[in-house]
Amino acid sequence: MAFSKPIAIAALTVVSFPTFALAHEDHCSAVAASVAEAGFDGEVDVTCTDSHAILTSDTYPDHDMMTGIAGTNEQVPVPAQYGAPVILTPVLSGVPLTRDAALGVAINGVPIYDYTGGGEMSQADLSHHQAQHDTLITKQLDVCGGHAGRGDDYHYHAEPVCMIEAMANAGDAAIIGWAFDGFPIYGDANPDGSVIADGTLDVCNGQADDTFGYRYHTSPDAPYIVQCLMGEVPDFDALPRVRPLSVATGGGAAPGRPPSGGVEDLVFTQNDDGSRSMDYTYGGNAYFIRYAPADTNGCYVFTTQTVTNDGELMTGEFCR
């Protein structure tokens, strides 16, 4: 079930954390520095308002994508302009919030979701692993921890390993992303390099932090990355979503459906002219999704032959 409103998890134990909030200007500088020091300031623009740092990007990372996916939903990554709002004066509430969309953003501008694939996270399930909806277990993720969602938007559901490998400042002390409640996201270890003891991280995969008051982590085991927000988000319902593709002549594009049992030999090819191709086999037959930029900015000409559409060859122009 997908949720559009905050979910208060009353049954979970609430832990109190000390508050060490940075000043507004310092928090803005910390967000900007995390992007610049990693070498992504050419891909991600950071601007600060009175309340938020906005990380603007096309959500299309400069690393391999889609390799290793078997449980494809027959969607492909397509650039999408997106402004990710990070609160500059974070306040811990101790009441977890979740939603069926991004909970934060990586420092390369790619949105970060919980580990489930279609908004299945619910009030009761935050403290129980949902193996049947786990995107890693069901082989929906590529080797980089991400995939293309229902809106043909690339995002992460687990540790963004390829992004981390590309970071100029890669290391335990480097911030790899920001949750929308304003708290930073680190890797599998503490910033000083020490091991995070079992049971230290809370239900949202976070713990207390001496600088920011609180921080999130990735983890080798589920939930792998941020699965809920522990801070206050006044405009939680208004958090942005990536705009899905729509038919150039009007109407939305129907999403693909995961072929039963998964596909084989999936390869995503990126060409210098902006064209893309995802080719794979299913039941011994070849299928593909291909697109190239159209004359209209933000639009793409698609040619597809998918399992979802029973192998019918289809063409059309789709736009953000």
Side-chain angles (χ1 to χ4, degrees):
M1 177 180 293
F3 295 90
S4 59
K5 295 183 178 180
I7 303 167
I9 315 301
L12 299 175
T13 300
V14 175
V15 180
S16 297
F17 297 100
T19 300
F20 300 95
L22 296 179
H24 174 282
E25 295 80 5
D26 292 336
H27 207 100
C28 173
S29 297
V31 174
S34 68
V35 173
E37 291 171 4
F40 297 131
D41 48 338
E43 305 166 34
V44 181
D45 184 42
V46 180
T47 57
C48 292
T49 68
D50 290 340
S51 58
H52 292 81
I54 311 298
L55 285 73
T56 304
S57 73
D58 64 2
T59 73
Y60 198 92
D62 187 20
H63 63 59
D64 182 32
M65 287 184 282
M66 311 303 281
T67 297
I69 291 178
T72 178
N73 54 13
E74 297 197 296
Q75 311 284 155
V76 293
V78 180
Q81 287 300 310
Y82 182 69
V86 174
I87 291 176
L88 290 176
T89 53
V91 177
L92 276 167
S93 68
V95 180
L97 302 175
T98 188
R99 68 193 292 248
D100 66 336
L103 295 170
V105 62
I107 54 172
N108 64 349
V110 175
I112 293 172
Y113 285 54
D114 67 52
Y115 70 83
T116 62
E120 294 92 355
M121 193 66 72
S122 68
Q123 175 174 335
D125 291 322
L126 280 173
S127 54
H128 299 88
H129 180 221
Q130 301 181 74
Q132 73 276 25
H133 298 306
D134 186 318
T135 50
L136 184 61
I137 289 177
T138 54
K139 300 182 180 180
Q140 297 179 49
L141 301 184
D142 61 23
V143 296
C144 298
H147 72 168
R150 293 301 188 189
D152 292 289
D153 55 313
Y154 189 82
H155 54 255
Y156 299 121
H157 284 275
E159 181 184 17
V161 291
C162 297
M163 182 203 78
I164 292 173
E165 290 173 355
M167 290 171 59
N169 64 337
D172 296 323
I175 292 171
I176 65 170
W178 294 87
F180 288 151
D181 59 8
F183 295 109
I185 305 170
Y186 290 85
D188 289 352
N190 288 309
D192 64 4
S194 61
V195 174
I196 299 173
D198 290 345
T200 299
L201 300 181
D202 62 25
V203 71
C204 293
N205 239 28
Q207 64 171 323
D209 182 83
D210 290 340
T211 301
F212 297 97
Y214 182 83
R215 65 177 184 261
Y216 298 97
H217 286 274
T218 61
S219 57
D221 300 317
Y224 312 120
I225 203 163
V226 179
Q227 74 163 351
C228 51
L229 301 181
M230 196 62 82
E232 295 180 1
V233 185
D235 299 321
F236 192 80
D237 290 344
L239 286 174
R241 298 169 183 264
V242 173
R243 182 179 179 181
L245 290 170
S246 60
V247 181
T249 53
R257 297 189 304 272
S260 177
V263 304
E264 296 179 333
D265 306 319
L266 188 149
V267 176
F268 183 64
T269 304
Q270 306 181 66
N271 300 311
D272 292 339
D273 62 359
S275 63
R276 305 288 185 259
S277 178
M278 189 171 81
D279 296 84
Y280 47 100
T281 60
Y282 181 73
N285 297 314
Y287 297 91
F288 60 84
I289 301 175
R290 297 170 185 155
Y291 72 84
D295 293 335
T296 303
N297 188 39
C299 295
Y300 303 87
V301 177
F302 275 74
T303 303
T304 65
Q305 193 166 18
T306 65
V307 180
T308 297
N309 292 317
D310 298 321
E312 181 182 354
L313 184 65
M314 305 180 71
T315 61
E317 184 174 328
F318 296 85
C319 307
R320 287 290 182 195

